Amino acid sequence: MNYLYIALALVAAYLLGSIPTALWVGRRFFGLADIREHGSGNAGATNTFRVLGPKAGSVVLLIDALKGFVAAYFLPNILLAQGAIPAEHVLYYRLACGVLAIVGHIYPVFAEFRGGKGVATVLGMMLGVAPTTVGVCLLIFIVMLLLFRYVSLASMTAGVAFALLQLLPQFRPAQPFMVYVGFVLAALLVYTHRANIGRLRAGTESRVPLFGRK
């Protein structure tokens, strides 16, 4: 194994995750100095939907998901192509690079270590690891968002669904430890949304406007 290439890939994964998409989109296109001073105080897709609307939120969601996907899929593929890692270890490096991208998103070096909650980046990471299961979870996210218009609720539901789906024979991963990874990621999403859970229970969580609905 080439440890220099591996170290560079891991650092690149964290830096990629650290790109503060919501912060930069708010500044460049909406003249908003710092989106973290509005809404829930986070620099992620959920707060972008809330503060800047569905178009900006969708762009941030897509880019933040791409951060996780590129880190988990392309960086390990580059390592494999360079002969830096053996083929049987690719999944481990997908997870390692994906997790570092998530950490970068939550604690971004480019934004004073105050980022988002990691939902979109987790989505992108798992798309690079388990695309079929993630596809079903995306449908669940969309249905929940259309029904209730809470991005936080849709995100947590999709995350928990990912963990539970892996228990079914149709979605059971070839590597059993992936089941544990799924539950850890679901727990992380719930933990990072603990403030949203409080607002949902109190009835004060903001809904995102869809199709002109407020």
Side-chain angles (χ1 to χ4, degrees):
M1 291 193 297
N2 190 314
Y3 293 104
L4 176 60
Y5 282 176
I6 292 172
L8 289 174
L10 295 176
V11 171
Y14 170 75
L15 294 177
L16 183 64
S18 288
I19 296 173
T21 316
L23 197 63
W24 290 355
V25 167
R27 286 176 180 171
R28 176 65 180 82
F29 298 103
F30 295 88
L32 201 63
D34 192 337
I35 195 172
R36 295 170 298 184
E37 297 175 355
H38 305 270
S40 64
N42 290 285
T46 301
N47 199 37
T48 306
F49 270 100
R50 179 181 296 112
V51 176
L52 302 178
K55 290 184 179 179
S58 298
V59 170
V60 171
L61 178 67
L62 176 61
I63 296 176
D64 285 349
L66 279 173
K67 295 191 303 187
F69 181 75
V70 171
Y73 186 78
F74 286 105
L75 290 180
N77 281 2
I78 293 173
L79 290 177
L80 185 61
Q82 295 297 320
I85 59 174
E88 61 269 21
H89 291 173
V90 170
L91 176 61
Y92 301 109
Y93 285 96
R94 292 199 192 287
L95 293 173
C97 288
V99 167
L100 281 171
I102 295 167
V103 172
H105 179 78
I106 298 174
Y107 303 106
V109 68
F110 302 126
E112 301 88 37
F113 301 100
R114 292 171 50 221
K117 298 176 181 178
V119 176
T121 312
V122 168
L123 167 67
M125 168 194 170
M126 298 315 296
L127 188 61
V129 176
T132 302
T133 310
V134 170
V136 176
C137 293
L138 272 174
L139 290 176
I140 293 172
F141 174 89
I142 292 169
V143 169
M144 291 294 293
L145 185 61
L146 291 175
L147 287 176
F148 300 103
R149 293 186 289 130
Y150 292 123
V151 176
S152 56
L153 179 61
S155 301
M156 288 186 287
T157 304
V160 172
F162 179 87
L164 295 177
L165 281 171
Q166 291 192 112
L167 299 177
L168 301 177
Q170 301 93 322
F171 300 96
R172 191 164 295 155
Q175 296 82 3
F177 78 93
M178 278 297 300
V179 175
Y180 300 103
V181 172
F183 277 97
V184 169
L185 291 175
L188 173 66
L189 287 180
V190 173
Y191 175 77
T192 57
H193 282 83
R194 58 195 183 279
N196 300 83
I197 293 173
R199 290 193 292 269
L200 285 167
R201 295 179 62 182
T204 57
E205 178 77 332
S206 299
R207 297 177 187 264
V208 297
L210 297 174
F211 312 114
R213 296 164 62 194
K214 299 292 185 180

